[in-house]
Amino acid sequence: MALCLLCQQTLKKRVLFSDILLLKKEREGICLDCQQGFSPISDMHCPTCFKEGEKNVCSDCLYWEKQGATVSHESLYRYNEHMADYFSRYKFVGDYLLRTVFATELQTYFKDKRGHTLVPIPISDKRMAERGFNQVTGLLNSAGLSFQDFLQKEDTKKQSDKTRQERLELKQPFSIVENITVPENIILVDDIYTTGSTVQLAKQVLMKSGAKTVASFSLAR
Ligand SMILES: [Zn+2]
Ligand SMILES: [Zn+2]
């Protein structure tokens, strides 16, 4: 019997009439309860970074503007408690099966982004050795999306171990793999967007190396 990848409850095969009326459908792999725990970002969000509940450009984006940087970021889901649980199981427990949970959403989102090269935010060699996979390329692979993996990251403190101030401080951990021609139009892809510093650092490297436009996307914001 199929179990929910997240809570292990049995997935029901039978679709209830009330589910049809409410257009609810249990998706492959996770149960309806878990599905409903994820909260899509509503129409009321920061216009430049998709921060939920902001009508105007948010304080994070104003910070970047003051630094002379631009923000062009989109996200699908809020980083709520349920999403935090998901990422802790996927990344830190290392349950690689969980990469498939958002495959359909990612396919749909990137359908009209052709003409852009997707570039995943890399993880360091140390992190790769610990985890065994890059959570971002896992998500992209599960959705069957092609990407170019030419950014590399040197070891720094884990984002989650840093204070907010440390996260905002710019120390360049990214570089480009040798002998790569950087494509002109790029969408950087990350799992979670917090202050935007990761994306800004990666963007600096790409712009310096010949990219013309660099937008960004994360599953959660
Ligand atoms: Zn579940
Ligand atoms: Zn913003």
Side-chain angles (χ1 to χ4, degrees), residues 202-220:
K203 188 170 166 176
Q204 280 176 13
V205 170
L206 295 170
M207 295 299 277
K208 245 190 257 166
S209 311
K212 299 262 186 299
T213 69
V214 180
S216 54
F217 168 84
S218 62
L219 182 64

Side-chain angles (χ1 to χ4, degrees), residues 22-116:
L22 295 168
L23 296 174
K24 290 193 289 188
K25 215 179 115 235
E26 199 165 60
R27 100 173 84 148
E28 203 83 30
I30 69 168
C31 74
L32 206 53
D33 292 340
C34 285
Q35 196 172 320
Q36 285 170 345
F38 295 118
S39 170
I41 290 172
S42 73
D43 287 343
M44 168 104 143
H45 57 247
C46 168
T48 47
C49 77
F50 274 46
K51 187 174 192 173
E52 174 73 24
E54 303 272 345
K55 217 159 66 197
N56 302 308
V57 175
C58 75
S59 56
D60 290 337
C61 291
L62 288 174
Y63 171 86
W64 292 116
E65 277 179 21
K66 256 190 236 154
Q67 313 286 309
T70 53
V71 180
S72 173
H73 185 82
E74 296 188 357
S75 277
L76 290 177
Y77 290 93
R78 286 172 76 162
Y79 188 69
N80 61 10
E81 210 180 311
H82 197 66
M83 189 58 89
D85 282 350
Y86 166 77
F87 276 116
S88 93
R89 300 250 325 263
Y90 178 37
K91 288 162 72 168
F92 302 116
V93 182
D95 189 348
Y96 192 52
L97 266 184
L98 293 182
R99 72 193 183 285
T100 59
V101 168
F102 296 100
T104 310
E105 280 80 358
L106 293 170
Q107 274 165 7
T108 308
Y109 175 81
F110 284 107
K111 208 169 261 171
D112 59 350
K113 306 285 180 194
R114 296 203 177 107
H116 291 84

